[in-house]
Structures are given as structure tokens and as C-alpha cells.
PDB file of all heavy atoms in Angstrom:
ATOM      1  N   ASP U   1       8.794  15.493  -0.608  1.00  0.00           N
ATOM      2  CA  ASP U   1       8.610  16.854  -0.105  1.00  0.00           C
ATOM      3  C   ASP U   1       7.207  17.069   0.448  1.00  0.00           C
ATOM      4  O   ASP U   1       7.000  17.929   1.310  1.00  0.00           O
ATOM      5  CB  ASP U   1       8.875  17.872  -1.227  1.00  0.00           C
ATOM      6  CG  ASP U   1      10.332  17.898  -1.657  1.00  0.00           C
ATOM      7  OD1 ASP U   1      11.201  17.536  -0.829  1.00  0.00           O
ATOM      8  OD2 ASP U   1      10.609  18.266  -2.818  1.00  0.00           O
ATOM      9  N   ALA U   2       6.230  16.299  -0.036  1.00  0.00           N
ATOM     10  CA  ALA U   2       4.846  16.490   0.378  1.00  0.00           C
ATOM     11  C   ALA U   2       4.569  15.982   1.786  1.00  0.00           C
ATOM     12  O   ALA U   2       3.499  16.248   2.343  1.00  0.00           O
ATOM     13  CB  ALA U   2       3.900  15.793  -0.608  1.00  0.00           C
ATOM     14  N   LEU U   3       5.524  15.253   2.384  1.00  0.00           N
ATOM     15  CA  LEU U   3       5.299  14.638   3.690  1.00  0.00           C
ATOM     16  C   LEU U   3       6.301  15.159   4.715  1.00  0.00           C
ATOM     17  O   LEU U   3       7.463  15.419   4.382  1.00  0.00           O
ATOM     18  CB  LEU U   3       5.450  13.116   3.590  1.00  0.00           C
ATOM     19  CG  LEU U   3       4.553  12.403   2.568  1.00  0.00           C
ATOM     20  CD1 LEU U   3       4.878  10.916   2.545  1.00  0.00           C
ATOM     21  CD2 LEU U   3       3.076  12.636   2.866  1.00  0.00           C
ATOM     22  N   ASP U   4       5.846  15.316   5.959  1.00  0.00           N
ATOM     23  CA  ASP U   4       6.779  15.690   7.021  1.00  0.00           C
ATOM     24  C   ASP U   4       7.593  14.453   7.418  1.00  0.00           C
ATOM     25  O   ASP U   4       7.414  13.361   6.871  1.00  0.00           O
ATOM     26  CB  ASP U   4       6.055  16.333   8.201  1.00  0.00           C
ATOM     27  CG  ASP U   4       5.104  15.387   8.946  1.00  0.00           C
ATOM     28  OD1 ASP U   4       5.318  14.164   8.910  1.00  0.00           O
ATOM     29  OD2 ASP U   4       4.148  15.896   9.576  1.00  0.00           O
ATOM     30  N   ASP U   5       8.484  14.626   8.385  1.00  0.00           N
ATOM     31  CA  ASP U   5       9.419  13.551   8.712  1.00  0.00           C
ATOM     32  C   ASP U   5       8.713  12.280   9.185  1.00  0.00           C
ATOM     33  O   ASP U   5       9.049  11.173   8.761  1.00  0.00           O
ATOM     34  CB  ASP U   5      10.403  14.016   9.795  1.00  0.00           C
ATOM     35  CG  ASP U   5      11.335  15.110   9.308  1.00  0.00           C
ATOM     36  OD1 ASP U   5      11.524  15.231   8.084  1.00  0.00           O
ATOM     37  OD2 ASP U   5      11.869  15.848  10.164  1.00  0.00           O
ATOM     38  N   ALA U   6       7.733  12.429  10.076  1.00  0.00           N
ATOM     39  CA  ALA U   6       7.030  11.258  10.605  1.00  0.00           C
ATOM     40  C   ALA U   6       6.226  10.570   9.517  1.00  0.00           C
ATOM     41  O   ALA U   6       6.196   9.337   9.436  1.00  0.00           O
ATOM     42  CB  ALA U   6       6.130  11.673  11.763  1.00  0.00           C
ATOM     43  N   GLU U   7       5.556  11.348   8.674  1.00  0.00           N
ATOM     44  CA  GLU U   7       4.787  10.770   7.567  1.00  0.00           C
ATOM     45  C   GLU U   7       5.711  10.079   6.576  1.00  0.00           C
ATOM     46  O   GLU U   7       5.404   8.997   6.077  1.00  0.00           O
ATOM     47  CB  GLU U   7       3.991  11.861   6.866  1.00  0.00           C
ATOM     48  CG  GLU U   7       2.873  12.453   7.715  1.00  0.00           C
ATOM     49  CD  GLU U   7       2.329  13.746   7.137  1.00  0.00           C
ATOM     50  OE1 GLU U   7       3.006  14.354   6.277  1.00  0.00           O
ATOM     51  OE2 GLU U   7       1.235  14.159   7.561  1.00  0.00           O
ATOM     52  N   ALA U   8       6.848  10.712   6.295  1.00  0.00           N
ATOM     53  CA  ALA U   8       7.790  10.117   5.347  1.00  0.00           C
ATOM     54  C   ALA U   8       8.338   8.800   5.869  1.00  0.00           C
ATOM     55  O   ALA U   8       8.449   7.814   5.120  1.00  0.00           O
ATOM     56  CB  ALA U   8       8.929  11.101   5.070  1.00  0.00           C
ATOM     57  N   ALA U   9       8.667   8.743   7.170  1.00  0.00           N
ATOM     58  CA  ALA U   9       9.166   7.494   7.744  1.00  0.00           C
ATOM     59  C   ALA U   9       8.141   6.383   7.581  1.00  0.00           C
ATOM     60  O   ALA U   9       8.483   5.224   7.350  1.00  0.00           O
ATOM     61  CB  ALA U   9       9.502   7.694   9.221  1.00  0.00           C
ATOM     62  N   ALA U  10       6.849   6.753   7.677  1.00  0.00           N
ATOM     63  CA  ALA U  10       5.777   5.760   7.578  1.00  0.00           C
ATOM     64  C   ALA U  10       5.455   5.368   6.148  1.00  0.00           C
ATOM     65  O   ALA U  10       4.681   4.436   5.920  1.00  0.00           O
ATOM     66  CB  ALA U  10       4.514   6.301   8.253  1.00  0.00           C
ATOM     67  N   LEU U  11       6.024   6.059   5.177  1.00  0.00           N
ATOM     68  CA  LEU U  11       5.733   5.738   3.775  1.00  0.00           C
ATOM     69  C   LEU U  11       6.505   4.524   3.283  1.00  0.00           C
ATOM     70  O   LEU U  11       6.124   3.910   2.293  1.00  0.00           O
ATOM     71  CB  LEU U  11       6.075   6.943   2.879  1.00  0.00           C
ATOM     72  CG  LEU U  11       5.696   6.800   1.399  1.00  0.00           C
ATOM     73  CD1 LEU U  11       4.195   6.975   1.218  1.00  0.00           C
ATOM     74  CD2 LEU U  11       6.454   7.801   0.532  1.00  0.00           C
ATOM     75  N   HIS U  12       7.552   4.168   3.970  1.00  0.00           N
ATOM     76  CA  HIS U  12       8.510   3.228   3.407  1.00  0.00           C
ATOM     77  C   HIS U  12       8.002   1.781   3.391  1.00  0.00           C
ATOM     78  O   HIS U  12       7.429   1.328   2.395  1.00  0.00           O
ATOM     79  CB  HIS U  12       9.825   3.341   4.175  1.00  0.00           C
ATOM     80  CG  HIS U  12      10.996   2.735   3.481  1.00  0.00           C
ATOM     81  ND1 HIS U  12      12.229   2.595   4.068  1.00  0.00           N
ATOM     82  CD2 HIS U  12      11.135   2.212   2.244  1.00  0.00           C
ATOM     83  CE1 HIS U  12      13.068   2.039   3.222  1.00  0.00           C
ATOM     84  NE2 HIS U  12      12.421   1.790   2.112  1.00  0.00           N
ATOM     85  N   ILE U  13       8.147   1.044   4.478  1.00  0.00           N
ATOM     86  CA  ILE U  13       7.888  -0.398   4.462  1.00  0.00           C
ATOM     87  C   ILE U  13       6.409  -0.700   4.238  1.00  0.00           C
ATOM     88  O   ILE U  13       6.051  -1.532   3.396  1.00  0.00           O
ATOM     89  CB  ILE U  13       8.397  -1.056   5.753  1.00  0.00           C
ATOM     90  CG1 ILE U  13       9.914  -0.921   5.846  1.00  0.00           C
ATOM     91  CG2 ILE U  13       7.992  -2.525   5.798  1.00  0.00           C
ATOM     92  CD1 ILE U  13      10.512  -1.445   7.143  1.00  0.00           C
ATOM     93  N   GLY U  14       5.522  -0.044   4.986  1.00  0.00           N
ATOM     94  CA  GLY U  14       4.092  -0.337   4.877  1.00  0.00           C
ATOM     95  C   GLY U  14       3.526  -0.063   3.503  1.00  0.00           C
ATOM     96  O   GLY U  14       2.768  -0.877   2.951  1.00  0.00           O
ATOM     97  N   TYR U  15       3.880   1.071   2.927  1.00  0.00           N
ATOM     98  CA  TYR U  15       3.340   1.413   1.608  1.00  0.00           C
ATOM     99  C   TYR U  15       4.025   0.638   0.496  1.00  0.00           C
ATOM    100  O   TYR U  15       3.398   0.273  -0.498  1.00  0.00           O
ATOM    101  CB  TYR U  15       3.449   2.930   1.371  1.00  0.00           C
ATOM    102  CG  TYR U  15       2.352   3.691   2.059  1.00  0.00           C
ATOM    103  CD1 TYR U  15       2.439   4.009   3.409  1.00  0.00           C
ATOM    104  CD2 TYR U  15       1.197   4.078   1.382  1.00  0.00           C
ATOM    105  CE1 TYR U  15       1.426   4.697   4.066  1.00  0.00           C
ATOM    106  CE2 TYR U  15       0.174   4.764   2.021  1.00  0.00           C
ATOM    107  CZ  TYR U  15       0.295   5.068   3.361  1.00  0.00           C
ATOM    108  OH  TYR U  15      -0.718   5.736   3.996  1.00  0.00           O
ATOM    109  N   GLN U  16       5.318   0.393   0.645  1.00  0.00           N
ATOM    110  CA  GLN U  16       5.991  -0.474  -0.332  1.00  0.00           C
ATOM    111  C   GLN U  16       5.376  -1.870  -0.307  1.00  0.00           C
ATOM    112  O   GLN U  16       5.101  -2.467  -1.361  1.00  0.00           O
ATOM    113  CB  GLN U  16       7.485  -0.553  -0.012  1.00  0.00           C
ATOM    114  CG  GLN U  16       8.282   0.683  -0.375  1.00  0.00           C
ATOM    115  CD  GLN U  16       9.039   0.547  -1.687  1.00  0.00           C
ATOM    116  OE1 GLN U  16       9.196  -0.545  -2.221  1.00  0.00           O
ATOM    117  NE2 GLN U  16       9.501   1.671  -2.221  1.00  0.00           N
ATOM    118  N   THR U  17       5.135  -2.392   0.892  1.00  0.00           N
ATOM    119  CA  THR U  17       4.515  -3.704   1.019  1.00  0.00           C
ATOM    120  C   THR U  17       3.136  -3.701   0.369  1.00  0.00           C
ATOM    121  O   THR U  17       2.768  -4.628  -0.362  1.00  0.00           O
ATOM    122  CB  THR U  17       4.408  -4.105   2.496  1.00  0.00           C
ATOM    123  OG1 THR U  17       5.719  -4.178   3.060  1.00  0.00           O
ATOM    124  CG2 THR U  17       3.726  -5.460   2.656  1.00  0.00           C
ATOM    125  N   GLY U  18       2.354  -2.652   0.639  1.00  0.00           N
ATOM    126  CA  GLY U  18       1.029  -2.552   0.040  1.00  0.00           C
ATOM    127  C   GLY U  18       1.080  -2.481  -1.470  1.00  0.00           C
ATOM    128  O   GLY U  18       0.310  -3.147  -2.165  1.00  0.00           O
ATOM    129  N   TRP U  19       1.991  -1.678  -1.990  1.00  0.00           N
ATOM    130  CA  TRP U  19       2.070  -1.510  -3.444  1.00  0.00           C
ATOM    131  C   TRP U  19       2.486  -2.820  -4.117  1.00  0.00           C
ATOM    132  O   TRP U  19       1.862  -3.249  -5.098  1.00  0.00           O
ATOM    133  CB  TRP U  19       3.067  -0.408  -3.798  1.00  0.00           C
ATOM    134  CG  TRP U  19       3.013  -0.010  -5.240  1.00  0.00           C
ATOM    135  CD1 TRP U  19       2.271   0.989  -5.805  1.00  0.00           C
ATOM    136  CD2 TRP U  19       3.731  -0.632  -6.322  1.00  0.00           C
ATOM    137  NE1 TRP U  19       2.478   1.038  -7.161  1.00  0.00           N
ATOM    138  CE2 TRP U  19       3.365   0.057  -7.506  1.00  0.00           C
ATOM    139  CE3 TRP U  19       4.631  -1.689  -6.401  1.00  0.00           C
ATOM    140  CZ2 TRP U  19       3.888  -0.299  -8.750  1.00  0.00           C
ATOM    141  CZ3 TRP U  19       5.146  -2.039  -7.644  1.00  0.00           C
ATOM    142  CH2 TRP U  19       4.783  -1.348  -8.789  1.00  0.00           C
ATOM    143  N   PHE U  20       3.515  -3.480  -3.584  1.00  0.00           N
ATOM    144  CA  PHE U  20       3.950  -4.745  -4.179  1.00  0.00           C
ATOM    145  C   PHE U  20       2.867  -5.810  -4.035  1.00  0.00           C
ATOM    146  O   PHE U  20       2.639  -6.606  -4.952  1.00  0.00           O
ATOM    147  CB  PHE U  20       5.253  -5.222  -3.524  1.00  0.00           C
ATOM    148  CG  PHE U  20       6.496  -4.649  -4.146  1.00  0.00           C
ATOM    149  CD1 PHE U  20       7.024  -3.450  -3.699  1.00  0.00           C
ATOM    150  CD2 PHE U  20       7.130  -5.297  -5.193  1.00  0.00           C
ATOM    151  CE1 PHE U  20       8.163  -2.906  -4.267  1.00  0.00           C
ATOM    152  CE2 PHE U  20       8.281  -4.775  -5.780  1.00  0.00           C
ATOM    153  CZ  PHE U  20       8.792  -3.568  -5.313  1.00  0.00           C
ATOM    154  N   GLY U  21       2.205  -5.842  -2.885  1.00  0.00           N
ATOM    155  CA  GLY U  21       1.170  -6.841  -2.667  1.00  0.00           C
ATOM    156  C   GLY U  21      -0.023  -6.658  -3.581  1.00  0.00           C
ATOM    157  O   GLY U  21      -0.508  -7.615  -4.200  1.00  0.00           O
ATOM    158  N   LEU U  22      -0.496  -5.428  -3.698  1.00  0.00           N
ATOM    159  CA  LEU U  22      -1.712  -5.168  -4.472  1.00  0.00           C
ATOM    160  C   LEU U  22      -1.458  -5.116  -5.970  1.00  0.00           C
ATOM    161  O   LEU U  22      -2.283  -5.571  -6.762  1.00  0.00           O
ATOM    162  CB  LEU U  22      -2.358  -3.863  -4.017  1.00  0.00           C
ATOM    163  CG  LEU U  22      -2.833  -3.823  -2.555  1.00  0.00           C
ATOM    164  CD1 LEU U  22      -3.456  -2.466  -2.246  1.00  0.00           C
ATOM    165  CD2 LEU U  22      -3.803  -4.951  -2.269  1.00  0.00           C
ATOM    166  N   HIS U  23      -0.325  -4.574  -6.364  1.00  0.00           N
ATOM    167  CA  HIS U  23      -0.082  -4.360  -7.797  1.00  0.00           C
ATOM    168  C   HIS U  23       0.840  -5.414  -8.410  1.00  0.00           C
ATOM    169  O   HIS U  23       0.484  -6.033  -9.414  1.00  0.00           O
ATOM    170  CB  HIS U  23       0.477  -2.952  -8.025  1.00  0.00           C
ATOM    171  CG  HIS U  23      -0.500  -1.870  -7.698  1.00  0.00           C
ATOM    172  ND1 HIS U  23      -1.652  -1.677  -8.426  1.00  0.00           N
ATOM    173  CD2 HIS U  23      -0.519  -0.950  -6.708  1.00  0.00           C
ATOM    174  CE1 HIS U  23      -2.335  -0.665  -7.913  1.00  0.00           C
ATOM    175  NE2 HIS U  23      -1.670  -0.212  -6.863  1.00  0.00           N
ATOM    176  N   ARG U  24       2.000  -5.627  -7.846  1.00  0.00           N
ATOM    177  CA  ARG U  24       2.935  -6.588  -8.445  1.00  0.00           C
ATOM    178  C   ARG U  24       2.463  -8.029  -8.268  1.00  0.00           C
ATOM    179  O   ARG U  24       2.594  -8.844  -9.178  1.00  0.00           O
ATOM    180  CB  ARG U  24       4.315  -6.403  -7.831  1.00  0.00           C
ATOM    181  CG  ARG U  24       5.343  -7.427  -8.314  1.00  0.00           C
ATOM    182  CD  ARG U  24       6.577  -6.776  -8.801  1.00  0.00           C
ATOM    183  NE  ARG U  24       7.607  -7.752  -9.157  1.00  0.00           N
ATOM    184  CZ  ARG U  24       8.801  -7.433  -9.614  1.00  0.00           C
ATOM    185  NH1 ARG U  24       9.122  -6.173  -9.780  1.00  0.00           N
ATOM    186  NH2 ARG U  24       9.688  -8.354  -9.911  1.00  0.00           N
ATOM    187  N   ARG U  25       1.901  -8.336  -7.101  1.00  0.00           N
ATOM    188  CA  ARG U  25       1.507  -9.714  -6.832  1.00  0.00           C
ATOM    189  C   ARG U  25       0.061  -9.987  -7.234  1.00  0.00           C
ATOM    190  O   ARG U  25      -0.222 -10.904  -7.981  1.00  0.00           O
ATOM    191  CB  ARG U  25       1.723 -10.055  -5.345  1.00  0.00           C
ATOM    192  CG  ARG U  25       3.155  -9.902  -4.874  1.00  0.00           C
ATOM    193  CD  ARG U  25       4.071 -10.960  -5.472  1.00  0.00           C
ATOM    194  NE  ARG U  25       3.906 -12.239  -4.766  1.00  0.00           N
ATOM    195  CZ  ARG U  25       3.790 -13.416  -5.381  1.00  0.00           C
ATOM    196  NH1 ARG U  25       3.777 -13.492  -6.692  1.00  0.00           N
ATOM    197  NH2 ARG U  25       3.667 -14.523  -4.663  1.00  0.00           N
ATOM    198  N   ALA U  26      -0.878  -9.183  -6.728  1.00  0.00           N
ATOM    199  CA  ALA U  26      -2.303  -9.476  -6.938  1.00  0.00           C
ATOM    200  C   ALA U  26      -2.880  -8.811  -8.183  1.00  0.00           C
ATOM    201  O   ALA U  26      -3.976  -9.168  -8.614  1.00  0.00           O
ATOM    202  CB  ALA U  26      -3.107  -9.047  -5.716  1.00  0.00           C
ATOM    203  N   HIS U  27      -2.174  -7.852  -8.759  1.00  0.00           N
ATOM    204  CA  HIS U  27      -2.641  -7.162  -9.975  1.00  0.00           C
ATOM    205  C   HIS U  27      -4.069  -6.634  -9.796  1.00  0.00           C
ATOM    206  O   HIS U  27      -4.966  -6.894 -10.603  1.00  0.00           O
ATOM    207  CB  HIS U  27      -2.549  -8.085 -11.196  1.00  0.00           C
ATOM    208  CG  HIS U  27      -1.163  -8.572 -11.473  1.00  0.00           C
ATOM    209  ND1 HIS U  27      -0.156  -7.750 -11.937  1.00  0.00           N
ATOM    210  CD2 HIS U  27      -0.594  -9.803 -11.318  1.00  0.00           C
ATOM    211  CE1 HIS U  27       0.969  -8.440 -12.079  1.00  0.00           C
ATOM    212  NE2 HIS U  27       0.728  -9.686 -11.696  1.00  0.00           N
ATOM    213  N   LEU U  28      -4.258  -5.885  -8.710  1.00  0.00           N
ATOM    214  CA  LEU U  28      -5.556  -5.276  -8.418  1.00  0.00           C
ATOM    215  C   LEU U  28      -5.988  -4.374  -9.564  1.00  0.00           C
ATOM    216  O   LEU U  28      -5.215  -3.554 -10.056  1.00  0.00           O
ATOM    217  CB  LEU U  28      -5.455  -4.464  -7.129  1.00  0.00           C
ATOM    218  CG  LEU U  28      -6.712  -3.723  -6.677  1.00  0.00           C
ATOM    219  CD1 LEU U  28      -7.795  -4.707  -6.245  1.00  0.00           C
ATOM    220  CD2 LEU U  28      -6.368  -2.757  -5.536  1.00  0.00           C
ATOM    221  N   GLN U  29      -7.248  -4.526  -9.987  1.00  0.00           N
ATOM    222  CA  GLN U  29      -7.786  -3.757 -11.110  1.00  0.00           C
ATOM    223  C   GLN U  29      -8.847  -2.770 -10.639  1.00  0.00           C
ATOM    224  O   GLN U  29      -9.531  -2.995  -9.633  1.00  0.00           O
ATOM    225  CB  GLN U  29      -8.408  -4.701 -12.146  1.00  0.00           C
ATOM    226  CG  GLN U  29      -7.446  -5.718 -12.715  1.00  0.00           C
ATOM    227  CD  GLN U  29      -6.281  -5.085 -13.462  1.00  0.00           C
ATOM    228  OE1 GLN U  29      -6.489  -4.260 -14.354  1.00  0.00           O
ATOM    229  NE2 GLN U  29      -5.057  -5.477 -13.092  1.00  0.00           N
ATOM    230  N   GLU U  30      -8.974  -1.684 -11.366  1.00  0.00           N
ATOM    231  CA  GLU U  30     -10.011  -0.699 -11.074  1.00  0.00           C
ATOM    232  C   GLU U  30     -11.380  -1.378 -11.094  1.00  0.00           C
ATOM    233  O   GLU U  30     -11.680  -2.179 -11.980  1.00  0.00           O
ATOM    234  CB  GLU U  30      -9.973   0.428 -12.103  1.00  0.00           C
ATOM    235  CG  GLU U  30     -10.987   1.533 -11.846  1.00  0.00           C
ATOM    236  CD  GLU U  30     -10.868   2.666 -12.855  1.00  0.00           C
ATOM    237  OE1 GLU U  30      -9.979   2.597 -13.745  1.00  0.00           O
ATOM    238  OE2 GLU U  30     -11.657   3.623 -12.755  1.00  0.00           O
ATOM    239  N   GLY U  31     -12.193  -1.084 -10.098  1.00  0.00           N
ATOM    240  CA  GLY U  31     -13.530  -1.654 -10.019  1.00  0.00           C
ATOM    241  C   GLY U  31     -13.612  -2.950  -9.251  1.00  0.00           C
ATOM    242  O   GLY U  31     -14.715  -3.416  -8.929  1.00  0.00           O
ATOM    243  N   GLU U  32     -12.467  -3.576  -8.943  1.00  0.00           N
ATOM    244  CA  GLU U  32     -12.492  -4.810  -8.157  1.00  0.00           C
ATOM    245  C   GLU U  32     -12.745  -4.489  -6.683  1.00  0.00           C
ATOM    246  O   GLU U  32     -12.604  -3.343  -6.239  1.00  0.00           O
ATOM    247  CB  GLU U  32     -11.178  -5.577  -8.308  1.00  0.00           C
ATOM    248  CG  GLU U  32     -11.007  -6.238  -9.663  1.00  0.00           C
ATOM    249  CD  GLU U  32      -9.845  -7.212  -9.700  1.00  0.00           C
ATOM    250  OE1 GLU U  32      -8.760  -6.882  -9.182  1.00  0.00           O
ATOM    251  OE2 GLU U  32     -10.021  -8.313 -10.260  1.00  0.00           O
ATOM    252  N   THR U  33     -13.107  -5.531  -5.931  1.00  0.00           N
ATOM    253  CA  THR U  33     -13.331  -5.382  -4.495  1.00  0.00           C
ATOM    254  C   THR U  33     -12.111  -5.871  -3.736  1.00  0.00           C
ATOM    255  O   THR U  33     -11.640  -6.989  -3.940  1.00  0.00           O
ATOM    256  CB  THR U  33     -14.568  -6.189  -4.047  1.00  0.00           C
ATOM    257  OG1 THR U  33     -15.728  -5.674  -4.706  1.00  0.00           O
ATOM    258  CG2 THR U  33     -14.765  -6.064  -2.538  1.00  0.00           C
ATOM    259  N   LEU U  34     -11.605  -5.006  -2.868  1.00  0.00           N
ATOM    260  CA  LEU U  34     -10.441  -5.310  -2.045  1.00  0.00           C
ATOM    261  C   LEU U  34     -10.881  -5.414  -0.592  1.00  0.00           C
ATOM    262  O   LEU U  34     -11.511  -4.500  -0.054  1.00  0.00           O
ATOM    263  CB  LEU U  34      -9.391  -4.205  -2.191  1.00  0.00           C
ATOM    264  CG  LEU U  34      -8.228  -4.211  -1.182  1.00  0.00           C
ATOM    265  CD1 LEU U  34      -7.361  -5.440  -1.348  1.00  0.00           C
ATOM    266  CD2 LEU U  34      -7.397  -2.930  -1.324  1.00  0.00           C
ATOM    267  N   LEU U  35     -10.551  -6.521   0.052  1.00  0.00           N
ATOM    268  CA  LEU U  35     -10.824  -6.732   1.473  1.00  0.00           C
ATOM    269  C   LEU U  35      -9.519  -6.589   2.239  1.00  0.00           C
ATOM    270  O   LEU U  35      -8.549  -7.301   1.957  1.00  0.00           O
ATOM    271  CB  LEU U  35     -11.425  -8.122   1.700  1.00  0.00           C
ATOM    272  CG  LEU U  35     -11.678  -8.546   3.148  1.00  0.00           C
ATOM    273  CD1 LEU U  35     -12.717  -7.653   3.806  1.00  0.00           C
ATOM    274  CD2 LEU U  35     -12.111 -10.019   3.216  1.00  0.00           C
ATOM    275  N   VAL U  36      -9.479  -5.659   3.195  1.00  0.00           N
ATOM    276  CA  VAL U  36      -8.259  -5.389   3.963  1.00  0.00           C
ATOM    277  C   VAL U  36      -8.510  -5.706   5.434  1.00  0.00           C
ATOM    278  O   VAL U  36      -9.398  -5.112   6.067  1.00  0.00           O
ATOM    279  CB  VAL U  36      -7.825  -3.917   3.829  1.00  0.00           C
ATOM    280  CG1 VAL U  36      -6.560  -3.657   4.657  1.00  0.00           C
ATOM    281  CG2 VAL U  36      -7.579  -3.555   2.367  1.00  0.00           C
ATOM    282  N   HIS U  37      -7.741  -6.630   5.978  1.00  0.00           N
ATOM    283  CA  HIS U  37      -7.813  -6.926   7.407  1.00  0.00           C
ATOM    284  C   HIS U  37      -6.934  -5.945   8.180  1.00  0.00           C
ATOM    285  O   HIS U  37      -5.928  -5.448   7.668  1.00  0.00           O
ATOM    286  CB  HIS U  37      -7.368  -8.358   7.676  1.00  0.00           C
ATOM    287  CG  HIS U  37      -8.340  -9.387   7.204  1.00  0.00           C
ATOM    288  ND1 HIS U  37      -9.507  -9.673   7.872  1.00  0.00           N
ATOM    289  CD2 HIS U  37      -8.334 -10.186   6.095  1.00  0.00           C
ATOM    290  CE1 HIS U  37     -10.175 -10.608   7.221  1.00  0.00           C
ATOM    291  NE2 HIS U  37      -9.487 -10.939   6.132  1.00  0.00           N
ATOM    292  N   ALA U  38      -7.321  -5.663   9.417  1.00  0.00           N
ATOM    293  CA  ALA U  38      -6.621  -4.688  10.261  1.00  0.00           C
ATOM    294  C   ALA U  38      -6.506  -3.359   9.525  1.00  0.00           C
ATOM    295  O   ALA U  38      -5.440  -2.746   9.457  1.00  0.00           O
ATOM    296  CB  ALA U  38      -5.246  -5.204  10.679  1.00  0.00           C
ATOM    297  N   ALA U  39      -7.634  -2.908   8.989  1.00  0.00           N
ATOM    298  CA  ALA U  39      -7.648  -1.759   8.083  1.00  0.00           C
ATOM    299  C   ALA U  39      -7.267  -0.449   8.755  1.00  0.00           C
ATOM    300  O   ALA U  39      -6.898   0.516   8.067  1.00  0.00           O
ATOM    301  CB  ALA U  39      -9.031  -1.623   7.440  1.00  0.00           C
ATOM    302  N   ALA U  40      -7.351  -0.365  10.079  1.00  0.00           N
ATOM    303  CA  ALA U  40      -6.991   0.866  10.774  1.00  0.00           C
ATOM    304  C   ALA U  40      -5.555   0.856  11.276  1.00  0.00           C
ATOM    305  O   ALA U  40      -5.085   1.851  11.830  1.00  0.00           O
ATOM    306  CB  ALA U  40      -7.945   1.105  11.947  1.00  0.00           C
ATOM    307  N   GLY U  41      -4.860  -0.253  11.079  1.00  0.00           N
ATOM    308  CA  GLY U  41      -3.476  -0.357  11.534  1.00  0.00           C
ATOM    309  C   GLY U  41      -2.497   0.241  10.541  1.00  0.00           C
ATOM    310  O   GLY U  41      -2.875   0.755   9.488  1.00  0.00           O
ATOM    311  N   GLY U  42      -1.212   0.157  10.861  1.00  0.00           N
ATOM    312  CA  GLY U  42      -0.209   0.752   9.992  1.00  0.00           C
ATOM    313  C   GLY U  42      -0.141   0.112   8.619  1.00  0.00           C
ATOM    314  O   GLY U  42      -0.160   0.811   7.595  1.00  0.00           O
ATOM    315  N   VAL U  43      -0.076  -1.209   8.555  1.00  0.00           N
ATOM    316  CA  VAL U  43      -0.011  -1.918   7.273  1.00  0.00           C
ATOM    317  C   VAL U  43      -1.354  -1.843   6.552  1.00  0.00           C
ATOM    318  O   VAL U  43      -1.413  -1.566   5.350  1.00  0.00           O
ATOM    319  CB  VAL U  43       0.400  -3.384   7.502  1.00  0.00           C
ATOM    320  CG1 VAL U  43       0.327  -4.183   6.209  1.00  0.00           C
ATOM    321  CG2 VAL U  43       1.812  -3.458   8.072  1.00  0.00           C
ATOM    322  N   GLY U  44      -2.441  -2.066   7.282  1.00  0.00           N
ATOM    323  CA  GLY U  44      -3.762  -2.055   6.668  1.00  0.00           C
ATOM    324  C   GLY U  44      -4.161  -0.693   6.138  1.00  0.00           C
ATOM    325  O   GLY U  44      -4.749  -0.585   5.057  1.00  0.00           O
ATOM    326  N   SER U  45      -3.867   0.373   6.884  1.00  0.00           N
ATOM    327  CA  SER U  45      -4.256   1.718   6.440  1.00  0.00           C
ATOM    328  C   SER U  45      -3.563   2.081   5.132  1.00  0.00           C
ATOM    329  O   SER U  45      -4.152   2.752   4.274  1.00  0.00           O
ATOM    330  CB  SER U  45      -3.941   2.751   7.524  1.00  0.00           C
ATOM    331  OG  SER U  45      -2.553   2.815   7.810  1.00  0.00           O
ATOM    332  N   ALA U  46      -2.322   1.633   4.961  1.00  0.00           N
ATOM    333  CA  ALA U  46      -1.617   1.878   3.701  1.00  0.00           C
ATOM    334  C   ALA U  46      -2.310   1.162   2.553  1.00  0.00           C
ATOM    335  O   ALA U  46      -2.502   1.728   1.471  1.00  0.00           O
ATOM    336  CB  ALA U  46      -0.162   1.413   3.815  1.00  0.00           C
ATOM    337  N   ALA U  47      -2.723  -0.086   2.777  1.00  0.00           N
ATOM    338  CA  ALA U  47      -3.405  -0.852   1.735  1.00  0.00           C
ATOM    339  C   ALA U  47      -4.751  -0.234   1.382  1.00  0.00           C
ATOM    340  O   ALA U  47      -5.152  -0.223   0.213  1.00  0.00           O
ATOM    341  CB  ALA U  47      -3.591  -2.300   2.190  1.00  0.00           C
TER     342      ALA U  47
END
């Protein structure tokens, strides 16, 4: 509900990929340093 249609469409693959990559796979911890390539792009901005 917090997102409009375009924002909601963009939440799916990119953010799911980011969440699984950072948390399920890499187990990113608070205080660690994260390096994101293509940080202004769709996939990178989500990460």
C-alpha cells in the first residue's frame, strides 16, 4: 500500500534479488562495508 503502481512493479525482482543476495547468501551484518557496482541502476539502487 505504501507504493504506487510503478514503484510496486519495481519492488519485485530487483529488491528480491538484493535481499536474497545480501541476506540469504552473503549474510550482510550491521557495520560491515558493502560495495555495490552500478549503484545508480535498477538492481544496484535496490542493493
Side-chain angles (χ1 to χ4, degrees):
D1 293 334
L3 303 177
D4 66 26
D5 293 338
E7 292 166 343
L11 186 76
H12 196 188
I13 296 175
Y15 280 82
Q16 285 260 346
T17 299
W19 191 92
F20 274 89
L22 298 180
H23 294 293
R24 176 129 175 180
R25 301 290 282 135
H27 301 290
L28 179 68
Q29 301 298 307
E30 182 177 359
E32 288 191 316
T33 298
L34 168 65
L35 176 64
V36 179
H37 289 284
V43 174
S45 62

